[in-house]
Amino acid sequence: MLMVGLTGGIGSGKSAVASRLAALGAVVIDSDRIAREVVAPGSEGLAEIVAAFSDRVLDAHGALDRAALGSIVFADEAARRRLEAITHPRVRARTVELAAAAPRDAIVVNDVPLLVEVGLAPTYHLVVVVQTAMTTRVERLARDRGMDRAEAERRIAAQADDASREAAADVLLTNDGTRDDLHAAVDALWHERLVAYERNVRERRAVRPERVLLTGPDPTWPRQYARLAARIRHAVGSDLRLDHIGSTAVPGLAAKDVIDIQLTVPSLADADGPLAERLADAGFPRLPGDWWDNPRPPGSVRWEKRLHGSADPCRPAYLHLREVGSPGWRYALLMRDHLRADPGQRAAYLQLKRELAASAPDSATYGTLKDPWFDEEHLRAEEWAAQIGWRP
């Protein structure tokens, strides 16, 4: 099933997004609601909170006085972390239970206020962040929750800032307009991305752009790579090396809007085992058929690899699995680093890309026609590597 993380700061309107997604057919798991359940009267969670903070956090009926507890933890970082150590494991366990009970073809949206703060972004196929201007959030908290300005600003400051949430966001929904504006944005996300993404993950199908459309240079490509890489690391473990390769890894270079990533494996046999299934579950299914890189210089044995792609219809990516130390593995890193270091060759490559994109817009022909230039570039890059003592 497709797992979507939804977050946003207090007062951002995240709940309105969750409600709209539920109306469209998503299975919404509300972490705030679960957080209330795990500290309900008689629960182990509540007993542990009382042991940590005393019975001053209880109301007259023996239930948790959330305002009293909030006044303690929002002013004291250590106290907040103590509370999180009690509640977060219980919330996570209940979330897993609810997700497991969802249908196989569900789009599961986990509404998590502190998704960024606790580092959960890599555990989802997609992260949606609702972002709203500070003044609007303060006004909403005063209107809907009766907070004075000082309290509202204190609550906002205790959470991640907008820049941190934006860095984690695959989708950024701005909620400074009308409710109709917000619903239109959510509807577009559902119909244009989430429905197809879920189907692609379930059917193990990667997105493959057929035409070459140069774009950029896009300064957000490195951040987009970082999000994808974190997702891959969560799926396969942190002991395997990941690198951003290809044109989107070279600052200032226009490219197809496709993120190329290299995953270093001990052997291709390792790539053919459970690793392939873990990647597919994470939204990076294997592309069918045999895949290899053309050798440099030409004439030697082709450089075999495994190729996976992104199932996200709005974020194409290729994941190249190559053996550590193999010629293709080294070549991908060398070409990237040489183009980063040599502005003249970067400019020459950009000119070639533009000419070929205009004359051979289909991906297969475009790639083949670049081979002669790369045969020569390989020699220049090897000379550069020898001069500076480059190592991959």
Side-chain angles (χ1 to χ4, degrees):
M1 62 189 70
L2 188 73
M3 298 296 297
V4 178
L6 172 65
T7 194
I10 185 171
S12 65
K14 174 178 55 64
S15 297
V17 172
S19 296
R20 187 64 174 184
L21 287 168
L24 290 166
V27 174
V28 175
I29 300 174
D30 186 339
S31 291
D32 266 348
R33 183 177 299 172
I34 296 172
R36 289 190 290 272
E37 291 176 3
V38 300
V39 296
S43 67
E44 292 181 359
L46 182 59
E48 197 169 337
I49 288 174
V50 171
F53 299 102
S54 82
D55 58 7
R56 60 181 170 153
V57 299
L58 297 177
D59 64 18
H61 305 288
L64 182 64
D65 186 334
R66 300 179 73 85
L69 180 61
S71 67
I72 297 171
V73 301
F74 281 107
D76 183 338
E77 170 117 6
R80 188 171 84 247
R81 294 195 179 281
R82 199 155 65 243
L83 174 64
E84 290 170 352
I86 296 169
T87 59
H88 286 181
R90 291 177 167 86
V91 172
R92 284 196 294 270
R94 180 58 178 152
T95 298
V96 169
E97 289 178 4
L98 293 173
R104 181 172 173 269
D105 62 349
I107 297 173
V108 178
V109 176
N110 196 3
D111 180 348
V112 189
L114 299 180
L115 183 151
V116 173
E117 289 85 341
V118 297
L120 291 177
T123 67
Y124 299 100
H125 292 102
L126 197 78
V127 172
V128 179
V129 171
V130 186
Q131 189 163 288
T132 308
M134 170 77 81
T135 53
T136 304
R137 293 169 65 187
V138 170
E139 290 169 2
R140 286 176 182 165
L141 291 172
R143 181 192 66 210
D144 301 335
R145 307 194 192 185
M147 291 186 193
D148 61 34
R149 183 178 186 85
E151 175 67 8
E153 290 178 346
R154 190 160 63 91
R155 294 291 184 98
I156 291 170
Q159 297 182 335
D161 59 23
D162 286 347
S164 299
R165 288 198 191 89
E166 188 170 348
D170 299 292
V171 177
L172 192 65
L173 295 176
T174 302
N175 185 25
D176 291 316
T178 67
R179 184 59 58 91
D180 287 343
D181 293 336
L182 182 64
H183 283 179
V186 175
D187 292 356
L189 169 64
W190 178 267
H191 293 294
E192 297 172 14
R193 191 167 191 174
L194 298 184
V195 171
Y197 197 174
E198 183 282 320
R199 183 174 60 249
N200 289 346
V201 169
R202 177 164 38 89
E203 296 179 357
R204 300 296 201 248
R205 182 167 55 204
V207 175
R208 296 188 63 193
E210 296 181 358
R211 294 182 63 81
V212 176
L213 297 173
L214 294 185
T215 186
D218 185 341
T220 72
W221 279 331
R223 294 200 297 273
Q224 293 184 56
Y225 158 75
R227 289 195 294 271
L228 296 174
R231 206 161 280 146
I232 294 166
R233 286 193 186 95
H234 177 75
V236 305
S238 59
D239 55 330
L240 296 181
R241 175 174 171 174
L242 280 166
D243 290 280
H244 188 189
I245 59 170
S247 294
T248 61
V250 180
L253 189 61
K256 295 178 292 182
D257 190 17
V258 179
I259 305 294
D260 282 284
I261 303 169
Q262 179 167 273
L263 175 61
T264 302
V265 293
S267 71
L268 291 183
D270 293 291
D272 294 334
L275 180 68
E277 278 303 303
R278 293 200 296 272
L279 287 170
D281 288 341
F284 299 91
R286 175 174 289 182
L287 290 166
D290 296 327
W291 295 92
W292 62 88
D293 301 307
N294 292 331
R296 318 284 177 189
S300 55
V301 177
R302 69 189 187 186
W303 298 340
E304 191 178 359
K305 66 179 177 181
R306 301 293 182 263
L307 186 63
H308 291 238
S310 170
D312 183 351
C314 295
R315 178 60 277 161
Y318 290 129
L319 179 61
H320 308 257
L321 279 66
R322 298 186 176 103
E323 285 189 14
V324 60
S326 65
W329 174 85
R330 182 181 184 280
Y331 175 80
L333 299 171
L334 174 60
M335 290 301 100
R336 178 200 65 188
D337 290 353
H338 184 232
L339 289 174
R340 284 175 172 177
D342 191 326
Q345 286 307 113
R346 195 163 60 242
Y349 183 39
L350 176 57
Q351 181 62 31
L352 174 70
K353 286 160 67 80
R354 286 173 172 161
E355 291 173 358
L356 293 181
S359 62
D362 64 284
S363 293
T365 305
Y366 173 82
T368 301
L369 291 177
K370 289 193 296 183
D371 278 344
W373 188 88
F374 270 109
D375 289 339
E376 295 181 7
E377 163 61 9
H378 175 251
L379 299 176
R380 290 186 290 264
E382 288 290 4
E383 182 178 351
W384 168 81
Q387 289 174 348
I388 70 164
W390 176 87
R391 294 291 182 272

